[in-house]
Structures are given as structure tokens and as C-alpha cells.
Amino acid sequence: MSISVVYSKHLGQIIGDITENMDGSYTMGSPCIIQLGNNQVGLIPLFTTVKQKNFKISKEDLVFQELFEPEDDIRNYYSSNYGSGLQLVTN
């Protein structure tokens, strides 16, 4: 599992703890939609009203069929609020 960003055709940019499945799809844990505006970045949890915290997304549902590494500050914010709590130390 790794914290990565995907570009969904329907939801836009999503960050989550992602695992690639044997069938080529991805399972995203604790996914959040990345909201951009006014020189700020916000994260909106995808599942706030249900018990399920993971979902499967196929590569066909993505604009780019690959994973992207988030900027350190976005990764740290996601991790501290929605993930493991571990943060990268930058110089």
C-alpha cells in the first residue's frame, strides 16, 4: 500500500492508500477527493456516511492509467488526518 493520487474520470483527483489488485484494478483505502481553490488544497473524505472505507476502481475509470506521487505537504496532511499519522520529514 502506498499513498498515491489518481485522476478519476468522474470524481477528479483522489488521494488514498492504494493497493494494486491481481486483476489490474486498484483498491483505495480512506480515499479523499482533492479540492483546489483560492491557492489552497482541501481534502474531502469520500466515505463520511458509510462504514465502508475502501473501494475498488478500475484503470478504465481513470484519465491516466497510473498512480502519481503526491507533494510532501499534501501527503503529510492526508496521512495525519486520514491515514496512519506518519509524516515525511523534509529538509
Side-chain angles (χ1 to χ4, degrees):
M1 297 180 98
S2 67
I3 298 173
S4 300
V5 173
V6 296
Y7 288 80
S8 164
K9 291 179 181 176
H10 305 289
L11 298 172
Q13 295 181 55
I14 306 172
I15 188 171
D17 200 359
I18 300 177
T19 302
E20 187 166 4
N21 301 314
M22 296 291 284
D23 63 3
S25 65
Y26 298 112
T27 297
M28 298 190 72
S30 301
C32 292
I33 296 172
I34 299 174
Q35 182 72 40
L36 305 172
N38 295 333
N39 296 323
Q40 296 180 339
V41 176
L43 301 180
I44 303 169
L46 197 55
F47 299 124
T48 57
T49 59
V50 297
K51 290 181 181 179
Q52 182 179 354
K53 299 300 177 201
N54 299 316
F55 83 103
K56 189 174 176 180
I57 189 167
S58 70
K59 288 185 178 180
E60 289 78 30
D61 292 327
L62 302 177
V63 176
F64 307 107
Q65 296 182 354
E66 62 182 289
L67 304 177
F68 293 89
E69 185 176 349
E71 294 287 341
D72 290 344
D73 56 340
I74 294 172
R75 174 195 302 271
N76 286 340
Y77 182 79
Y78 170 84
S79 184
S80 66
N81 288 282
Y82 306 103
S84 66
L86 298 176
Q87 297 186 11
L88 295 176
V89 177
T90 56
N91 294 333

